[in-house]
Amino acid sequence: MNYNTPKEITKEFAASGIYKSSLPLPKFTIIAILGGAFIAFGGLLSAMVAGGIPGIGATNPGIVKFVAGALFPIGLIMVSVTGADLFTSDCTAFTLPLLKKQIRWATFVKFLVLSYIFNFVGTQIVAYGMSSGLGYFSHEPWQTYLHNYSLGKVNQDWGTIFVKGIGANWLVCLGMFMGYSAKDIIGKCIGIWIPVMLFVTLGYEHSIANMFFIPAAIYSGAPILWSDFIVQNLIPATLGNLVGGAVLVGCVYWYLYLKD
């Protein structure tokens, strides 16, 4: 077969977590920074293209959502192909070996926290240094698009963002899962693209992506406080992402394919 079975995929996904937990801190730091940056590049591309077609959006808003959804997965494809690290997919990658008792709880928590912190560093490199700091969101129609998009994210109730966070990382981790099914680069890209396109088009909340979108809006003058970003969006999105990745993918596929 030119693809892996679900059981083989689950074993590969678990092996990725074991491999990352064996890396020295400097190497893990680098791949986590790269992971955040690559996701931010995907967000930047989607914002520049979807935000640049306001005329279409005025009459066909679903098309704009789909355009953003179709382009954003490029970031996760770069993460997967290059071996970068992403907190959200780690929610599955470290849950599988944890449940197999191949890593300890302390290792699970340590690497999720480190991944989250250094993903944030990577997203800020792009949010400020490679986009807002260069004036990408200082002009119309991109400023209005990004500001409205980010304001919409921070003006939701906690429960809504939490559930949207579950949906986002359920689909992101399924994207990584489907990517592991392929034994060629085209298959990997298609496997990742489908679920990630789905989560972005549906407007679910991905903590690492939001680390790009909302700070980029703040840097370009959006009326959003950092405290609002963290409390009203980032915390519930992160908790939802943890449930979506660790429970709905990690625990489920451990039970189906790895549990003795």
Side-chain angles (χ1 to χ4, degrees), residues 35-36 38-47 49 65-78 86 88 149 168 172 192-193 195-201 204 206-210 212-213:
F38 294 162
I39 291 298
F41 276 129
L44 176 59
L45 176 65
S46 71
V49 178
K65 289 179 180 292
F66 177 72
V67 168
L71 296 174
F72 181 85
I74 289 172
L76 189 62
I77 290 170
M78 291 195 294
L86 187 64
T88 43
Y149 186 70
V172 165
I192 293 170
W193 183 85
V196 178
M197 174 277 295
L198 184 59
F199 110 71
V200 177
T201 303
Y204 292 154
H206 186 267
S207 58
I208 309 304
N210 290 351
F212 165 73
F213 288 118

Side-chain angles (χ1 to χ4, degrees), residues 84-157:
D85 177 76
L86 187 64
F87 163 78
T88 43
S89 60
D90 282 349
C91 291
T92 295
F94 288 112
T95 295
L96 293 170
L98 175 70
L99 295 175
K100 284 285 289 181
K101 299 181 180 179
Q102 294 171 307
I103 63 171
R104 298 180 178 181
W105 271 103
T107 301
F108 174 82
V109 173
K110 171 187 173 182
F111 280 93
L112 283 183
V113 170
L114 288 173
S115 177
Y116 192 80
I117 292 170
F118 291 114
N119 279 176
F120 179 80
V121 174
T123 58
Q124 299 318 292
I125 290 171
V126 178
Y128 184 78
M130 306 299 292
S131 56
S132 291
L134 298 177
Y136 281 24
F137 300 114
S138 299
H139 309 287
E140 298 299 343
W142 296 281
Q143 185 177 83
T144 295
Y145 173 83
L146 180 65
H147 288 193
N148 288 341
Y149 186 70
S150 299
L151 284 165
K153 286 183 172 293
V154 299
N155 288 313
Q156 303 174 84
D157 64 78

Side-chain angles (χ1 to χ4, degrees), residues 44 59 87-88 114 116 163 169 188 191 195 205 218 224 230 258:
L44 176 59
T59 54
F87 163 78
T88 43
L114 288 173
Y116 192 80
V163 175
N169 209 28
K188 181 180 285 288
E205 298 289 339
I218 294 171
I224 301 172
I230 294 169
L258 298 182

